[in-house]
Amino acid sequence: MPERRDLANAIRALSMDAIQKAKSGHPGAPLGMADIAEVLWNDFLVHNPGNPQWADRDRFVLSNGHGSMLLYSLLHLTGYDVSLDDLKRFRQLNSRTPGHPEFGMTPGVESTSGPLGQGIACAVGMALAERVLAARFNRDGHTIVDHRTYVFMGDGCMMEGISHEACSLAGTLGLGKLIAFYDDNDISIDGHVDGWFRDNTPARFRAYGWHVVPDVDGHDPDAVKAAIEAAGKAVDRPSLICCKTVIGQGAPNVCGTAKCHGSPLGEEEIVCAREHLDWPHPPFEVPDDIRAAWSAKGRGYMAEDSWNARFEAYAEAYPGLAAEFTRRMRGELPEDFSAHAGAFVEAVDSAGESPATRKASQNCIEGLAPILPELFGGSADLAGSNLTRWSGSETVAPGKLAGNYMNYGVREFAMTAMMNGLVLHGGFVPYGGTFLVFSDYARNAMRMAALMKLRTLYVLTHDSIGVGEDGPTHQPVEHVASLRLIPNLDVWRPCDGVETAVAWSESIRRRNGPSAFILSRQGLPHQMRSVEALAGIARGGYVLRDCEGTPEAIIMATGSEVGLALEAAMSLEAEGCAVRVVSMPCLEAFERQDRAYRDSVLPPHVTRRVAVEAGTTSGWAGYVGSEGSVLGLDTFGESAPGNELFEHFGFTAGNLKGLVLETVNGRKMAA
């Protein structure tokens, strides 16, 4: 049996070889954390390389994702479908080993990581998912949800504010199945961190309520093993294992310095490292006995086979629960969801009510959640304003983990990253609320959800200057346009309860990306629709009100401005100007439609177009063209009642009517 040192050095050798071949990468973390990884993956991590999606596997997240070759080496050595050729193509176009781990690209990668701090927050979400599912599905004598979440993190993760947000909440909830390893090597890109980071990290995490194992020699396998065993016994709280390591351990001339953080070691240093590590093998070569010792295929198969037997007994005793667990972990919606959602939309349309769309959103949750138990809600301390709670909400709290709603506190970023973890773990469709203006705090985690194609839902209320007296600090002006810039994020800004209901049902059905609901504080009128118009909402843009013959102009609007567009159109029609009104609740969904449909809504030959939206005009130029106009707001707002602000900034039917007439007459004016 090879010694632990040789097993860890296999990680070091593969990592430095792949990085050198790519002429790019971060060798410091893979070399420095190799000993910790060897103990964790060989002695503790329960997983099956033959089935990376096994429901009850342990989850491993590399929060310091720049050290990706550490993870790729582990996946290759333990038997995942990550070949030696994959390692040789590290950081190359279309390879399965990109510069930072990417979910869905490399078998065994549980989460995309790299933006520091998000990995630990995502892992908190995974650990929360495990505890909630265990509380809901486990029964006496039948434990089918029982696994741990492990995280590697470095100084950078500790410095990022999101780690404070997420780890504070993890301690409050007592997530005892979460174990994090802090790679305490005192180095970041700019050098020794003592000039900018002197936190007493163990004291900080104890204050959060974590179990802390301080001052562990990260290069002593016995010390690491003892620390993990101690953490495993702290079942009532998460654990932090503080490992003192040397960055780039094994590269004798650069270890312990920032030089090895983010650059290949170089051929000469690799020769020295091989000699220093007593690793005489050529690049990318791992001896058979070391490969055999690393392989986890056999024990992984046995672990899953044992669980399968337990699950069969569970299914016999609780067939309904077993079927529900299987459905949810597959990410499948209930068979009757589409029919129920369709009936709900029709009921909302028939009711004809005129609530604020934030209230309409709450009505949607109330209507859809009873048949969707995987729906897991929450808000960043704004539930009473976001209206994210419903009559069946059961709050998750310390000692009460079977609920379906999370009070995240004032932690927008952590909330959004934890939602990513809930989806990645499986079994949940999470939604989280905050004011639209605070989506800036959450933006990077929203971007990560879009990158990973996760079904996460964002309830973003108080959508414009209609916020009113709270003033420009709370009035989102640029936020809708900014969110539309994120690829694969659907941004819905509904004009009434019906569009809100369609937005919710379509976003829940969408499995390959997140959706944001941009919702009003003020009440919005119900709009009358034809059957064709009702069906068109799901397509992102549709003709809400048409005119006789060919329109002289088209008014496009979203949200609260749709009512304004209709009022202006009726006034124009009375004066003999034929105008079509197009509601565009989701530009992204509209752009996915075929050309024929888009041209039927926005005929290319009708070039006199006006878009109206109470936000920045950015993004509308492609719709209005060179002969069109945009009524928007390219300044910050003011503090005053919302209705006064709409008039102050020109969002009136009269002003819009005048702009349309000027556009039709070819005298385009600036909005």
Side-chain angles (χ1 to χ4, degrees):
M1 179 69 182
E3 295 182 0
R4 285 191 181 276
R5 180 174 180 270
D6 295 322
L7 298 178
N9 285 343
I11 299 173
R12 293 185 170 100
L14 289 173
S15 297
M16 63 185 184
D17 290 342
I19 292 168
Q20 185 62 35
K21 189 174 190 304
K23 297 182 173 57
S24 173
H26 299 74
L31 272 64
M33 299 193 78
D35 298 303
I36 305 168
E38 186 278 320
V39 175
L40 174 63
W41 280 62
N42 281 327
D43 290 13
F44 294 94
L45 194 72
V46 179
H47 62 121
N48 182 8
N51 181 14
Q53 300 306 313
W54 170 35
D56 203 41
R57 68 191 182 279
D58 288 342
R59 272 62 170 178
F60 175 81
V61 177
L62 184 70
S63 189
N64 47 342
H66 55 270
S68 55
M69 266 312 304
L70 171 66
L71 180 53
Y72 299 149
S73 298
L74 288 163
L75 295 172
H76 170 72
L77 290 168
T78 54
Y80 285 82
D81 183 20
V82 179
S83 68
L84 207 57
D85 286 339
D86 289 327
L87 300 189
K88 291 178 180 179
R89 299 200 66 244
F90 176 56
R91 285 184 164 231
Q92 304 308 300
L93 182 65
N94 297 324
S95 81
R96 298 204 300 166
T97 49
H100 290 79
E102 293 187 31
F103 173 73
M105 183 173 290
T106 314
V109 170
E110 300 281 7
S111 173
T112 300
S113 61
L116 295 180
Q118 283 203 59
I120 177 62
C122 182
V124 172
M126 292 179 179
L128 174 63
E130 191 273 345
R131 289 290 78 202
V132 173
L133 288 176
R136 291 189 187 181
F137 285 97
N138 289 348
R139 295 294 183 270
D140 289 343
H142 296 277
T143 300
I144 62 163
V145 182
D146 184 18
H147 53 267
R148 298 186 185 278
T149 303
Y150 296 100
V151 195
F152 279 5
M153 54 196 298
D155 287 306
C157 294
M158 289 296 188
M159 286 184 245
E160 286 286 0
I162 189 174
S163 72
H164 296 256
E165 294 182 24
C167 293
S168 168
L169 189 51
T172 298
L173 295 173
L175 299 179
K177 296 290 188 70
L178 174 64
I179 298 178
F181 296 80
Y182 168 34
D183 182 31
D184 183 10
N185 59 30
D186 295 322
I187 296 292
S188 66
I189 293 175
D190 284 347
H192 285 273
V193 300
D194 59 355
W196 53 87
F197 182 59
R198 295 187 182 183
D199 292 13
N200 185 334
T201 298
R204 167 188 156 191
F205 275 77
R206 288 193 187 102
Y208 292 154
W210 286 51
H211 167 255
V212 178
V213 185
D215 300 321
V216 176
D217 183 347
H219 302 300
D220 180 349
D222 291 334
V224 173
K225 184 175 182 179
I228 299 174
E229 289 173 342
K233 296 175 182 177
V235 296
D236 61 336
R237 49 195 167 144
S239 292
L240 178 72
I241 300 174
C242 301
C243 297
K244 293 297 298 184
T245 64
V246 177
I247 190 172
Q249 174 76 350
N253 298 305
V254 296
C255 66
T257 72
K259 293 180 181 179
C260 65
H261 171 86
S263 301
L265 296 179
E267 298 290 354
E268 292 184 8
E269 183 63 16
I270 288 177
V271 170
C272 294
R274 277 186 153 77
E275 182 177 352
H276 182 77
L277 296 170
D278 192 20
W279 187 266
H281 316 292
F284 295 104
E285 183 177 305
V286 177
D288 290 343
D289 61 332
I290 293 178
R291 284 193 175 278
W294 262 110
S295 177
K297 287 184 176 180
R299 63 179 183 270
Y301 172 82
M302 288 189 291
E304 183 174 356
D305 190 57
S306 175
W307 182 84
N308 286 336
R310 297 199 309 274
F311 191 78
E312 287 179 12
Y314 177 80
E316 185 174 344
Y318 302 99
L321 283 174
E324 178 69 4
F325 178 81
T326 300
R327 178 189 71 78
R328 288 179 55 173
M329 292 305 292
R330 288 176 177 170
E332 300 171 352
L333 297 177
E335 289 184 3
D336 60 346
F337 177 79
S338 290
H340 182 93
F344 176 74
V345 171
E346 291 179 2
V348 173
D349 187 41
S350 298
E353 297 176 347
S354 303
T357 50
R358 61 170 174 160
K359 178 59 180 176
S361 171
Q362 185 182 46
N363 294 341
C364 292
I365 302 170
E366 194 75 46
L368 299 176
I371 67 159
L372 200 66
E374 57 264 53
L375 201 61
F376 188 92
S379 181
D381 204 51
L382 289 168
S385 295
N386 299 146
L387 304 183
T388 46
R389 296 187 65 89
W390 62 290
S391 62
S393 292
E394 297 180 12
T395 303
V396 171
K400 297 173 58 179
L401 297 175
N404 59 7
Y405 191 89
M406 183 75 236
N407 289 324
Y408 288 99
V410 188
R411 299 181 177 99
E412 294 89 354
F413 197 178
M415 173 183 72
T416 315
M418 287 173 63
M419 288 165 59
N420 292 345
L422 286 163
V423 179
L424 289 166
H425 178 280
F428 295 94
V429 176
Y431 66 90
T434 187
F435 288 170
L436 174 59
V437 75
F438 300 141
S439 64
D440 283 342
Y441 288 133
R443 183 183 177 85
N444 203 269
M446 296 171 72
R447 180 180 184 271
M448 293 285 279
L451 179 62
M452 290 188 276
K453 301 179 180 179
L454 304 182
R455 181 166 49 190
T456 53
L457 312 176
Y458 312 116
V459 179
L460 305 175
T461 67
H462 296 61
D463 69 338
S464 70
I465 53 174
V467 171
E469 292 88 343
D470 278 340
T473 61
H474 283 56
Q475 293 168 6
V477 173
E478 74 278 23
H479 296 74
V480 174
S482 176
L483 291 175
R484 286 178 180 146
L485 293 175
I486 300 177
N488 198 40
L489 172 65
D490 277 4
V491 180
W492 289 87
R493 189 169 184 248
C495 74
D496 66 358
V498 180
E499 285 191 356
T500 306
V502 173
W504 266 95
S505 60
E506 289 299 307
S507 299
I508 289 171
R509 274 193 283 254
R510 183 179 183 232
R511 295 189 60 171
N512 63 347
S515 301
F517 309 130
I518 312 300
L519 306 170
S520 71
R521 178 192 187 190
Q522 71 276 24
L524 300 182
H526 170 75
Q527 304 299 341
M528 300 299 295
R529 296 175 176 83
S530 66
V531 173
E532 293 77 13
L534 186 62
I537 298 173
R539 307 185 79 166
Y542 64 100
V543 179
L544 177 60
R545 184 182 188 277
D546 215 349
C547 58
E548 294 288 339
T550 301
E552 295 179 62
I554 296 174
I555 303 178
M556 295 166 282
T558 74
S560 54
E561 287 68 68
V562 169
L564 190 69
L566 287 168
E567 187 179 348
M570 287 186 285
S571 179
L572 287 162
E573 184 179 86
E575 297 182 8
C577 182
V579 177
R580 170 180 290 185
V581 175
V582 172
S583 179
M584 300 191 72
C586 183
L587 273 59
E588 296 77 20
F590 183 72
E591 291 299 328
R592 288 197 292 270
Q593 307 306 310
D594 58 55
R595 170 64 67 181
Y597 177 78
R598 284 181 282 140
D599 286 351
S600 73
V601 176
L602 301 173
H605 62 276
V606 183
T607 58
R608 308 300 188 181
R609 303 176 181 180
V610 175
V612 53
E613 187 171 59
T616 55
T617 58
S618 174
W620 284 106
Y623 289 99
V624 302
S626 60
E627 298 181 34
S629 305
V630 183
L631 176 57
L633 182 66
D634 289 319
T635 66
F636 291 114
E638 299 285 351
S639 180
N643 58 341
E644 294 182 18
L645 291 175
F646 277 112
E647 185 171 354
H648 173 76
F649 286 107
F651 291 97
T652 66
N655 194 38
L656 178 57
K657 173 184 173 182
L659 183 57
V660 173
L661 287 174
E662 291 190 4
T663 303
V664 168
N665 294 328
R667 299 192 305 276
K668 176 181 171 184
M669 76 174 190

